[in-house]
Amino acid sequence: RCFAAPRSSRPRGRPRLRSLGRVSDRVLRIVHCDDSPSFLMLMRHWFEDHPDVRIVHSALGIRDAIEHVRELRPDVIISDTLGSATDPSHLRWLREAAPGARLVIFTGYLERQLDPALRDVADRVVTKGVDERNLLAAIREITASPPA
């Protein structure tokens, strides 16, 4: 299922932000995987203000994500650790389903708390914070050059 808040539910007090540091005129297509419906909605809200990135699917769990990354072929996959700081298997499945996509772990864990095997699967690890700026900076940096 795809979760998206209607535009009319946007808080009126939040100012529109300029998109920071655009890499190109290309729109980066993103699949976001998390186990929290509320966080999936928050991410869509955060990304509305940035025309160079678009969440093409919000996946509630790994099976939904794998099915959609195969079909949608996103530029970037953003995935939570889905409750485990040590098990990289779901990230490997995402890599296999979309080998050309960049993979960002977006987690509430601090990077030092993550098992090295989990960190090694991702292109970048970003700790969840109060807004989207660090995540967007990481996405733009890893997509600025072709995959290795």
Side-chain angles (χ1 to χ4, degrees):
R1 293 184 352 202
C2 184
F3 296 90
R7 288 211 180 259
S8 61
S9 69
R10 174 189 203 91
R12 294 194 179 256
R14 183 169 186 231
R16 285 210 168 262
L17 300 173
R18 277 190 357 211
S19 190
L20 305 171
R22 284 185 68 160
V23 172
S24 71
D25 291 331
R26 180 171 83 96
V27 175
L28 296 172
R29 302 172 70 248
I30 298 170
V31 168
H32 175 217
C33 177
D34 204 294
D35 52 3
S36 167
S38 299
F39 203 76
L40 291 170
M41 287 176 56
L42 176 62
M43 288 279 291
R44 281 191 174 272
H45 175 73
W46 279 352
F47 280 39
E48 284 177 352
D49 294 326
H50 304 279
D52 60 325
V53 293
R54 184 177 66 170
I55 294 179
V56 295
H57 185 73
S58 296
L60 185 59
I62 192 62
R63 288 186 180 154
D64 184 28
I66 290 169
E67 176 184 331
H68 283 88
V69 298
R70 282 186 182 131
E71 175 188 332
L72 297 170
R73 304 172 85 105
D75 301 298
V76 177
I77 301 167
I78 300 170
S79 181
D80 183 42
T81 57
L82 304 178
S84 174
T86 59
D87 182 9
S89 59
H90 79 282
L91 299 171
R92 288 188 182 120
W93 298 332
L94 287 170
R95 279 270 192 223
E96 289 171 11
R102 303 300 178 91
L103 179 60
V104 176
I105 299 173
F106 194 46
T107 181
Y109 292 108
L110 297 176
E111 188 169 356
R112 69 178 180 267
Q113 294 174 299
L114 299 176
D115 187 282
L118 196 129
R119 288 192 313 257
D120 290 345
V121 175
D123 293 297
R124 188 65 51 91
V125 176
V126 179
T127 303
K128 290 179 179 175
V130 296
D131 65 26
E132 71 277 21
R133 292 172 194 241
N134 288 340
L135 178 60
L136 285 168
I139 290 168
R140 291 178 179 129
E141 186 176 316
I142 63 174
T143 57
S145 59

